[in-house]
PDB file of all heavy atoms in Angstrom:
ATOM      1  N   VAL A 268      78.065  57.195  21.915  1.00 33.00           N
ATOM      2  CA  VAL A 268      78.090  55.763  22.226  1.00 33.00           C
ATOM      3  C   VAL A 268      79.315  55.446  23.077  1.00 33.00           C
ATOM      4  O   VAL A 268      79.233  54.713  24.058  1.00 33.00           O
ATOM      5  CB  VAL A 268      78.089  54.918  20.923  1.00 33.00           C
ATOM      6  CG1 VAL A 268      78.389  53.460  21.210  1.00 33.00           C
ATOM      7  CG2 VAL A 268      76.765  55.054  20.208  1.00 33.00           C
ATOM      8  N   SER A 269      80.443  56.008  22.723  1.00 34.00           N
ATOM      9  CA  SER A 269      81.673  55.756  23.448  1.00 34.00           C
ATOM     10  C   SER A 269      81.559  56.193  24.905  1.00 34.00           C
ATOM     11  O   SER A 269      81.950  55.473  25.807  1.00 34.00           O
ATOM     12  CB  SER A 269      82.820  56.492  22.765  1.00 34.00           C
ATOM     13  OG  SER A 269      83.981  56.411  23.536  1.00 34.00           O
ATOM     14  N   SER A 270      81.002  57.376  25.136  1.00 34.00           N
ATOM     15  CA  SER A 270      80.904  57.856  26.516  1.00 34.00           C
ATOM     16  C   SER A 270      79.892  57.050  27.310  1.00 34.00           C
ATOM     17  O   SER A 270      80.052  56.857  28.502  1.00 34.00           O
ATOM     18  CB  SER A 270      80.564  59.344  26.553  1.00 34.00           C
ATOM     19  OG  SER A 270      79.267  59.548  26.054  1.00 34.00           O
ATOM     20  N   SER A 271      78.863  56.517  26.666  1.00 33.00           N
ATOM     21  CA  SER A 271      77.892  55.714  27.403  1.00 33.00           C
ATOM     22  C   SER A 271      78.458  54.348  27.760  1.00 33.00           C
ATOM     23  O   SER A 271      77.975  53.693  28.668  1.00 33.00           O
ATOM     24  CB  SER A 271      76.602  55.551  26.601  1.00 33.00           C
ATOM     25  OG  SER A 271      76.811  54.705  25.498  1.00 33.00           O
ATOM     26  N   CYS A 272      79.485  53.900  27.076  1.00 33.00           N
ATOM     27  CA  CYS A 272      80.106  52.612  27.383  1.00 33.00           C
ATOM     28  C   CYS A 272      81.110  52.722  28.522  1.00 33.00           C
ATOM     29  O   CYS A 272      81.516  51.726  29.082  1.00 33.00           O
ATOM     30  CB  CYS A 272      80.816  52.050  26.155  1.00 33.00           C
ATOM     31  SG  CYS A 272      79.668  51.540  24.870  1.00 33.00           S
ATOM     32  N   GLN A 273      81.533  53.908  28.851  1.00 34.00           N
ATOM     33  CA  GLN A 273      82.511  54.092  29.914  1.00 34.00           C
ATOM     34  C   GLN A 273      81.794  54.102  31.253  1.00 34.00           C
ATOM     35  O   GLN A 273      81.634  55.124  31.893  1.00 34.00           O
ATOM     36  CB  GLN A 273      83.279  55.399  29.713  1.00 34.00           C
ATOM     37  CG  GLN A 273      84.119  55.396  28.469  1.00 34.00           C
ATOM     38  CD  GLN A 273      84.750  56.745  28.221  1.00 34.00           C
ATOM     39  OE1 GLN A 273      84.481  57.715  28.916  1.00 34.00           O
ATOM     40  NE2 GLN A 273      85.596  56.821  27.223  1.00 34.00           N
ATOM     41  N   ASN A 274      81.413  52.921  31.708  1.00 39.00           N
ATOM     42  CA  ASN A 274      80.590  52.788  32.893  1.00 39.00           C
ATOM     43  C   ASN A 274      81.371  52.319  34.107  1.00 39.00           C
ATOM     44  O   ASN A 274      80.858  52.305  35.195  1.00 39.00           O
ATOM     45  CB  ASN A 274      79.462  51.793  32.575  1.00 39.00           C
ATOM     46  CG  ASN A 274      78.308  51.913  33.517  1.00 39.00           C
ATOM     47  OD1 ASN A 274      78.203  52.895  34.219  1.00 39.00           O
ATOM     48  ND2 ASN A 274      77.473  50.912  33.530  1.00 39.00           N
ATOM     49  N   THR A 275      82.619  51.957  33.921  1.00 44.00           N
ATOM     50  CA  THR A 275      83.344  51.302  34.998  1.00 44.00           C
ATOM     51  C   THR A 275      83.501  52.177  36.233  1.00 44.00           C
ATOM     52  O   THR A 275      83.042  51.802  37.296  1.00 44.00           O
ATOM     53  CB  THR A 275      84.733  50.847  34.514  1.00 44.00           C
ATOM     54  OG1 THR A 275      85.411  51.970  33.955  1.00 44.00           O
ATOM     55  CG2 THR A 275      84.612  49.748  33.494  1.00 44.00           C
ATOM     56  N   ASP A 276      84.133  53.302  36.124  1.00 45.00           N
ATOM     57  CA  ASP A 276      84.348  54.115  37.314  1.00 45.00           C
ATOM     58  C   ASP A 276      83.235  55.110  37.562  1.00 45.00           C
ATOM     59  O   ASP A 276      83.059  55.554  38.675  1.00 45.00           O
ATOM     60  CB  ASP A 276      85.691  54.834  37.248  1.00 45.00           C
ATOM     61  CG  ASP A 276      86.835  53.936  37.677  1.00 45.00           C
ATOM     62  OD1 ASP A 276      86.589  52.846  38.207  1.00 45.00           O
ATOM     63  OD2 ASP A 276      87.972  54.347  37.472  1.00 45.00           O
ATOM     64  N   ASN A 277      82.477  55.469  36.541  1.00 44.00           N
ATOM     65  CA  ASN A 277      81.408  56.450  36.741  1.00 44.00           C
ATOM     66  C   ASN A 277      80.381  55.948  37.741  1.00 44.00           C
ATOM     67  O   ASN A 277      79.940  56.690  38.600  1.00 44.00           O
ATOM     68  CB  ASN A 277      80.729  56.797  35.408  1.00 44.00           C
ATOM     69  CG  ASN A 277      81.659  57.566  34.488  1.00 44.00           C
ATOM     70  OD1 ASN A 277      82.676  58.077  34.929  1.00 44.00           O
ATOM     71  ND2 ASN A 277      81.310  57.640  33.221  1.00 44.00           N
ATOM     72  N   THR A 278      79.981  54.683  37.654  1.00 41.00           N
ATOM     73  CA  THR A 278      79.003  54.164  38.603  1.00 41.00           C
ATOM     74  C   THR A 278      79.607  54.058  39.994  1.00 41.00           C
ATOM     75  O   THR A 278      78.915  54.194  40.974  1.00 41.00           O
ATOM     76  CB  THR A 278      78.465  52.787  38.174  1.00 41.00           C
ATOM     77  OG1 THR A 278      79.563  51.907  38.018  1.00 41.00           O
ATOM     78  CG2 THR A 278      77.655  52.874  36.912  1.00 41.00           C
ATOM     79  N   LYS A 279      80.888  53.819  40.078  1.00 44.00           N
ATOM     80  CA  LYS A 279      81.542  53.695  41.375  1.00 44.00           C
ATOM     81  C   LYS A 279      81.552  55.038  42.102  1.00 44.00           C
ATOM     82  O   LYS A 279      81.473  55.075  43.301  1.00 44.00           O
ATOM     83  CB  LYS A 279      82.979  53.189  41.232  1.00 44.00           C
ATOM     84  CG  LYS A 279      83.123  51.903  40.454  1.00 44.00           C
ATOM     85  CD  LYS A 279      82.287  50.791  41.010  1.00 44.00           C
ATOM     86  CE  LYS A 279      82.414  49.555  40.177  1.00 44.00           C
ATOM     87  NZ  LYS A 279      81.250  48.753  40.067  1.00 44.00           N
ATOM     88  N   LEU A 280      81.623  56.111  41.346  1.00 52.00           N
ATOM     89  CA  LEU A 280      81.667  57.429  41.964  1.00 52.00           C
ATOM     90  C   LEU A 280      80.305  57.875  42.465  1.00 52.00           C
ATOM     91  O   LEU A 280      80.210  58.794  43.262  1.00 52.00           O
ATOM     92  CB  LEU A 280      82.218  58.459  40.966  1.00 52.00           C
ATOM     93  CG  LEU A 280      83.655  58.216  40.510  1.00 52.00           C
ATOM     94  CD1 LEU A 280      84.056  59.221  39.441  1.00 52.00           C
ATOM     95  CD2 LEU A 280      84.609  58.277  41.676  1.00 52.00           C
ATOM     96  N   THR A 281      79.244  57.213  42.029  1.00 85.00           N
ATOM     97  CA  THR A 281      77.909  57.630  42.429  1.00 85.00           C
ATOM     98  C   THR A 281      77.393  56.856  43.645  1.00 85.00           C
ATOM     99  O   THR A 281      76.244  57.006  44.004  1.00 85.00           O
ATOM    100  CB  THR A 281      76.912  57.461  41.261  1.00 85.00           C
ATOM    101  OG1 THR A 281      76.859  56.081  40.897  1.00 85.00           O
ATOM    102  CG2 THR A 281      77.305  58.307  40.070  1.00 85.00           C
ATOM    103  N   LEU A 282      78.214  56.044  44.256  1.00 94.00           N
ATOM    104  CA  LEU A 282      77.780  55.334  45.452  1.00 94.00           C
ATOM    105  C   LEU A 282      77.492  56.325  46.566  1.00 94.00           C
ATOM    106  O   LEU A 282      78.244  57.278  46.778  1.00 94.00           O
ATOM    107  CB  LEU A 282      78.862  54.354  45.926  1.00 94.00           C
ATOM    108  CG  LEU A 282      79.155  53.156  45.028  1.00 94.00           C
ATOM    109  CD1 LEU A 282      80.304  52.343  45.603  1.00 94.00           C
ATOM    110  CD2 LEU A 282      77.930  52.295  44.846  1.00 94.00           C
ATOM    111  N   SER A 283      76.413  56.081  47.277  1.00 96.00           N
ATOM    112  CA  SER A 283      76.075  56.945  48.410  1.00 96.00           C
ATOM    113  C   SER A 283      77.011  56.641  49.580  1.00 96.00           C
ATOM    114  O   SER A 283      77.661  55.586  49.621  1.00 96.00           O
ATOM    115  CB  SER A 283      74.628  56.711  48.836  1.00 96.00           C
ATOM    116  OG  SER A 283      74.495  55.426  49.436  1.00 96.00           O
ATOM    117  N   GLN A 284      77.049  57.543  50.523  1.00 96.00           N
ATOM    118  CA  GLN A 284      77.858  57.314  51.720  1.00 96.00           C
ATOM    119  C   GLN A 284      77.334  56.087  52.476  1.00 96.00           C
ATOM    120  O   GLN A 284      78.104  55.321  53.044  1.00 96.00           O
ATOM    121  CB  GLN A 284      77.862  58.552  52.628  1.00 96.00           C
ATOM    122  CG  GLN A 284      78.873  58.457  53.755  1.00 96.00           C
ATOM    123  CD  GLN A 284      80.302  58.260  53.259  1.00 96.00           C
ATOM    124  OE1 GLN A 284      80.765  58.974  52.372  1.00 96.00           O
ATOM    125  NE2 GLN A 284      81.008  57.296  53.828  1.00 96.00           N
ATOM    126  N   GLU A 285      76.029  55.887  52.433  1.00 96.00           N
ATOM    127  CA  GLU A 285      75.426  54.713  53.073  1.00 96.00           C
ATOM    128  C   GLU A 285      75.956  53.412  52.447  1.00 96.00           C
ATOM    129  O   GLU A 285      76.282  52.456  53.162  1.00 96.00           O
ATOM    130  CB  GLU A 285      73.906  54.772  52.945  1.00 96.00           C
ATOM    131  CG  GLU A 285      73.186  53.601  53.574  1.00 96.00           C
ATOM    132  CD  GLU A 285      71.682  53.654  53.358  1.00 96.00           C
ATOM    133  OE1 GLU A 285      71.115  54.760  53.261  1.00 96.00           O
ATOM    134  OE2 GLU A 285      71.083  52.570  53.274  1.00 96.00           O
ATOM    135  N   GLU A 286      76.065  53.392  51.119  1.00 97.00           N
ATOM    136  CA  GLU A 286      76.594  52.205  50.432  1.00 97.00           C
ATOM    137  C   GLU A 286      78.058  51.963  50.796  1.00 97.00           C
ATOM    138  O   GLU A 286      78.472  50.820  51.010  1.00 97.00           O
ATOM    139  CB  GLU A 286      76.450  52.355  48.920  1.00 97.00           C
ATOM    140  CG  GLU A 286      75.019  52.258  48.429  1.00 97.00           C
ATOM    141  CD  GLU A 286      74.884  52.617  46.973  1.00 97.00           C
ATOM    142  OE1 GLU A 286      75.156  53.792  46.620  1.00 97.00           O
ATOM    143  OE2 GLU A 286      74.508  51.726  46.188  1.00 97.00           O
ATOM    144  N   LYS A 287      78.821  53.039  50.867  1.00 97.00           N
ATOM    145  CA  LYS A 287      80.231  52.920  51.236  1.00 97.00           C
ATOM    146  C   LYS A 287      80.369  52.407  52.668  1.00 97.00           C
ATOM    147  O   LYS A 287      81.185  51.524  52.942  1.00 97.00           O
ATOM    148  CB  LYS A 287      80.938  54.261  51.085  1.00 97.00           C
ATOM    149  CG  LYS A 287      81.026  54.731  49.642  1.00 97.00           C
ATOM    150  CD  LYS A 287      81.597  56.130  49.560  1.00 97.00           C
ATOM    151  CE  LYS A 287      81.582  56.640  48.120  1.00 97.00           C
ATOM    152  NZ  LYS A 287      82.105  58.016  48.028  1.00 97.00           N
ATOM    153  N   ASN A 288      79.556  52.954  53.576  1.00 97.00           N
ATOM    154  CA  ASN A 288      79.581  52.507  54.969  1.00 97.00           C
ATOM    155  C   ASN A 288      79.183  51.038  55.075  1.00 97.00           C
ATOM    156  O   ASN A 288      79.747  50.293  55.883  1.00 97.00           O
ATOM    157  CB  ASN A 288      78.665  53.370  55.834  1.00 97.00           C
ATOM    158  CG  ASN A 288      79.175  54.785  55.999  1.00 97.00           C
ATOM    159  OD1 ASN A 288      80.339  55.082  55.751  1.00 97.00           O
ATOM    160  ND2 ASN A 288      78.288  55.679  56.394  1.00 97.00           N
ATOM    161  N   GLU A 289      78.219  50.635  54.258  1.00 97.00           N
ATOM    162  CA  GLU A 289      77.771  49.235  54.242  1.00 97.00           C
ATOM    163  C   GLU A 289      78.915  48.316  53.833  1.00 97.00           C
ATOM    164  O   GLU A 289      79.127  47.261  54.429  1.00 97.00           O
ATOM    165  CB  GLU A 289      76.593  49.072  53.281  1.00 97.00           C
ATOM    166  CG  GLU A 289      75.933  47.719  53.334  1.00 97.00           C
ATOM    167  CD  GLU A 289      75.151  47.493  54.604  1.00 97.00           C
ATOM    168  OE1 GLU A 289      74.436  48.414  55.039  1.00 97.00           O
ATOM    169  OE2 GLU A 289      75.255  46.386  55.174  1.00 97.00           O
ATOM    170  N   MET A 290      79.678  48.722  52.843  1.00 98.00           N
ATOM    171  CA  MET A 290      80.821  47.916  52.395  1.00 98.00           C
ATOM    172  C   MET A 290      81.856  47.779  53.505  1.00 98.00           C
ATOM    173  O   MET A 290      82.394  46.687  53.733  1.00 98.00           O
ATOM    174  CB  MET A 290      81.469  48.549  51.166  1.00 98.00           C
ATOM    175  CG  MET A 290      80.655  48.434  49.919  1.00 98.00           C
ATOM    176  SD  MET A 290      81.492  49.298  48.561  1.00 98.00           S
ATOM    177  CE  MET A 290      80.193  49.298  47.344  1.00 98.00           C
ATOM    178  N   LEU A 291      82.146  48.871  54.184  1.00 98.00           N
ATOM    179  CA  LEU A 291      83.113  48.843  55.275  1.00 98.00           C
ATOM    180  C   LEU A 291      82.621  47.946  56.412  1.00 98.00           C
ATOM    181  O   LEU A 291      83.389  47.176  56.992  1.00 98.00           O
ATOM    182  CB  LEU A 291      83.382  50.261  55.784  1.00 98.00           C
ATOM    183  CG  LEU A 291      84.113  51.173  54.798  1.00 98.00           C
ATOM    184  CD1 LEU A 291      84.018  52.628  55.239  1.00 98.00           C
ATOM    185  CD2 LEU A 291      85.565  50.747  54.631  1.00 98.00           C
ATOM    186  N   PHE A 292      81.331  48.037  56.711  1.00 98.00           N
ATOM    187  CA  PHE A 292      80.739  47.190  57.745  1.00 98.00           C
ATOM    188  C   PHE A 292      80.827  45.719  57.360  1.00 98.00           C
ATOM    189  O   PHE A 292      81.204  44.872  58.178  1.00 98.00           O
ATOM    190  CB  PHE A 292      79.273  47.593  57.985  1.00 98.00           C
ATOM    191  CG  PHE A 292      78.591  46.719  58.998  1.00 98.00           C
ATOM    192  CD1 PHE A 292      78.757  46.936  60.356  1.00 98.00           C
ATOM    193  CD2 PHE A 292      77.790  45.661  58.586  1.00 98.00           C
ATOM    194  CE1 PHE A 292      78.136  46.113  61.293  1.00 98.00           C
ATOM    195  CE2 PHE A 292      77.166  44.841  59.513  1.00 98.00           C
ATOM    196  CZ  PHE A 292      77.337  45.064  60.866  1.00 98.00           C
ATOM    197  N   MET A 293      80.493  45.414  56.104  1.00 98.00           N
ATOM    198  CA  MET A 293      80.511  44.020  55.654  1.00 98.00           C
ATOM    199  C   MET A 293      81.928  43.438  55.721  1.00 98.00           C
ATOM    200  O   MET A 293      82.099  42.268  56.053  1.00 98.00           O
ATOM    201  CB  MET A 293      79.944  43.885  54.244  1.00 98.00           C
ATOM    202  CG  MET A 293      78.454  44.186  54.123  1.00 98.00           C
ATOM    203  SD  MET A 293      77.383  43.270  55.255  1.00 98.00           S
ATOM    204  CE  MET A 293      77.772  41.594  54.834  1.00 98.00           C
TER     205      MET A 293
END
């Protein structure tokens, strides 16, 4: 349960390069 609650940075690390490029463009 504890490891499933640690969602803050784990989801951030799974961003695709396309998503990162989109953020930079925006």
Side-chain angles (χ1 to χ4, degrees):
V268 169
S269 172
S270 67
S271 71
C272 291
Q273 295 174 354
N274 199 16
T275 54
D276 278 349
N277 292 345
T278 56
K279 306 305 178 214
L280 297 175
T281 61
L282 293 176
S283 70
Q284 190 58 49
E285 180 183 330
E286 289 171 296
K287 294 174 184 179
N288 291 343
E289 188 71 43
M290 288 177 191
L291 292 166
F292 178 81
M293 293 307 302

